[in-house]
């Protein structure tokens, strides 16, 4: 699966952005899709995910501010980001796996095989 992110840019604290991820195809009948971000000097962090069963999962750092969704044709994934702060500054990637989300140590995970090149988000104070 080829994935391409778009929608990144520079905003101020408190503003919103909506990222898109265009996919060449859905991985399989059962799948998971995840948004991942990595800031400079920080570990990669999975922040929002959904799967073919309709499950949605969010990291505590974005819960209540970000929303993951999928277009009706299933080939586009979105990340609506609200109340952005400088801590949200990062490269954002979308990734796809060919199995549903699974739970490990109380957290949801997407075992992804494909990931896009990323789109950068900068939030200034």
């Amino acid at each position: 699966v080829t994935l391409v992110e778009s929608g990144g840019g520079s905003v101020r604290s408190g503003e919103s952005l909506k990222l898109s991820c265009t996919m060449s195809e859905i991985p399989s009948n059962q799948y998971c899709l995840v948004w991942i971000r990595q800031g400079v000097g920080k570990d990669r962090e999975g922040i929002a995910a959904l799967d073919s069963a309709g499950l949605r999962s969010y990291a505590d750092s974005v819960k209540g501010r970000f929303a993951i969704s999928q277009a009706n044709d299933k080939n586009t994934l979105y990340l609506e980001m609200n109340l952005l702060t400088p801590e949200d500054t990062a490269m954002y990637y979308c990734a796809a796996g060919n199995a549903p989300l699974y739970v490990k140590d109380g957290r949801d995970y997407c075992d992804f095989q494909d990931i896009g090149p990323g789109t950068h988000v900068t939030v200034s104070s």
Side-chain angles (χ1 to χ4, degrees), residues 83-122:
L83 299 175
L84 287 162
T85 75
E87 288 68 40
D88 296 315
T89 295
M91 185 70 80
Y92 285 71
Y93 306 88
C94 61
N98 56 14
L101 295 173
Y102 68 95
V103 180
K104 179 180 178 181
D105 297 330
R107 297 180 61 184
D108 297 314
Y109 289 90
C110 173
D111 187 13
F112 61 89
Q113 291 80 44
D114 301 294
I115 189 168
T119 186
H120 198 267
V121 173
T122 301

Side-chain angles (χ1 to χ4, degrees), residues 37-45 85-90 92:
R37 70 182 181 186
Q38 187 166 23
V40 175
K42 297 182 180 180
D43 293 333
R44 183 178 286 189
E45 176 187 22
T85 75
E87 288 68 40
D88 296 315
T89 295
Y92 285 71

Side-chain angles (χ1 to χ4, degrees), residues 35 48 56 58 62 64-69 78-82:
W35 284 98
R56 282 172 169 75
Y58 297 93
V62 305
R65 300 188 298 124
F66 290 12
I68 187 172
S69 62
Y78 301 105
L79 184 68
E80 181 77 39
M81 306 187 295
N82 300 307

Side-chain angles (χ1 to χ4, degrees), residues 21-74:
C21 171
T22 301
M23 298 176 285
S24 59
E25 61 185 290
I26 298 299
S28 63
N29 288 335
Q30 294 190 345
Y31 60 87
C32 59
L33 304 171
V34 58
W35 284 98
I36 299 163
R37 70 182 181 186
Q38 187 166 23
V40 175
K42 297 182 180 180
D43 293 333
R44 183 178 286 189
E45 176 187 22
I47 55 171
L50 60 78
D51 71 8
S52 47
L55 179 67
R56 282 172 169 75
S57 180
Y58 297 93
D60 288 343
S61 58
V62 305
K63 197 172 293 183
R65 300 188 298 124
F66 290 12
I68 187 172
S69 62
Q70 196 174 6
N72 289 338
D73 65 3
K74 306 294 186 185

